[in-house]
Amino acid sequence: MRHLAALIPFALLTGLTLPALAGTITIEGRGEVAAAPDMAMINSGVTSQGATAREALDANTAAMAELIATLKEAGIEARDIQTSGFSVNPNYVYSEQRDANGYTLPPKINGYQVSNTVTVKVRQLDALGTILDKSVTVGANTVNGVSFSVADPGELYNQARKAAFADASAKAALYAEAAGGTLDDIVSISETQGFNEPQPYPMYARAEMAAGSPVPVEAGELSFAINVKVQWDLDDGTK
């Protein structure tokens, strides 16, 4: 009915009767597409202890170098390995002893801890379990989480958009019919994305994991969702 705007001045001069609009109708629709992931992200690293910060750092550096070399040997490209955390912290020993005034003695430093973590992108999911096992075998004693994703979700979102618009249109047509009218021109369309995926889960290195068998991993499915809000002019059919 957008053409009516151009006819209004003419109608006022000639007395032409224009079709009446009953108002607008705004409906929300949702489209959702499920797909298996094709890549994973691992956050893993090494935590080392030492009597001095230097000693802890040297041990950590050697272990991390071996871990990164192992990841590359397993087929992980350098661009898919990124440092995500590094820290050097003292280890404190707390005492229950008190001084002459009854105050608790301050904690003492008893060595140092160095942590270094990397985020690793695994593009071949069938190698994920083996990579986790090899990482732990060479010294990765911290695996903070594993998450899954789809490398290029564009087409999945497009499918969800079509489904969301179809959902909104079907509901809008039903409401319009119930109200005794019909849908006319679209006034506006807006969307929001929703991406539901299995949450990352923590894994902790254990001695028995170094046996050499791949870690069992289930990727599940990911849900790609689009919510759309569409507004139509509502024509009540009157003249």
Side-chain angles (χ1 to χ4, degrees):
M1 301 294 280
R2 294 293 172 231
H3 59 282
L4 292 180
L7 294 176
I8 289 175
F10 177 75
L12 293 176
L13 293 174
T14 63
L16 176 66
T17 300
L18 299 175
L21 290 178
T24 61
I25 180 172
T26 303
I27 297 294
E28 293 186 1
R30 179 177 175 85
E32 188 169 339
V33 177
D38 58 14
M39 60 184 297
M41 300 287 285
I42 308 170
N43 183 267
S44 66
V46 178
T47 298
S48 305
Q49 308 283 343
T52 65
R54 178 79 263 170
E55 181 181 319
L57 179 61
D58 288 345
N60 189 272
T61 298
M64 282 299 297
E66 187 174 5
L67 171 60
I68 292 173
T70 298
L71 291 171
K72 291 180 178 180
E73 289 172 2
I76 304 297
E77 298 181 28
R79 66 188 177 110
D80 292 330
I81 304 173
Q82 183 178 53
T83 298
S84 54
F86 178 81
S87 64
V88 179
N89 294 297
N91 293 325
Y92 290 101
V93 175
Y94 294 86
S95 174
E96 295 183 357
Q97 297 181 1
R98 298 178 180 275
D99 60 19
N101 296 318
Y103 293 105
T104 302
L105 296 176
K108 295 182 179 181
I109 295 177
N110 183 27
Y112 290 82
Q113 175 176 290
V114 174
S115 294
N116 194 342
T117 57
V118 290
T119 298
V120 181
K121 186 178 295 184
V122 181
R123 299 180 186 272
Q124 300 295 328
L125 281 186
D126 56 356
L128 179 58
T130 299
I131 289 173
L132 287 170
D133 176 73
K134 288 183 176 180
S135 297
V136 173
T137 300
V138 298
N141 53 17
T142 304
V143 182
N144 294 316
V146 178
S147 61
F148 299 91
S149 63
V150 171
D152 185 8
E155 182 55 34
L156 295 170
Y157 275 124
N158 286 340
Q159 293 177 31
R161 287 185 178 96
K162 293 178 182 178
F165 185 81
D167 180 45
S169 297
K171 290 188 288 188
L174 179 64
Y175 278 114
E177 181 182 0
T182 57
L183 296 177
D184 206 90
D185 291 342
I186 293 176
V187 177
S188 65
I189 302 176
S190 61
E191 75 165 45
T192 57
Q193 288 187 0
F195 180 40
N196 305 316
E197 62 176 287
Q199 293 298 311
Y201 55 90
M203 299 178 63
Y204 300 98
R206 298 176 300 175
E208 59 266 34
M209 291 178 66
S213 59
V215 177
V217 176
E218 298 294 334
E221 279 192 337
L222 306 179
S223 177
F224 298 82
I226 291 289
N227 298 314
V228 66
K229 180 184 290 184
V230 187
Q231 185 178 47
W232 288 265
D233 281 330
L234 184 62
D235 190 344
D236 65 4
T238 61
K239 298 292 184 179

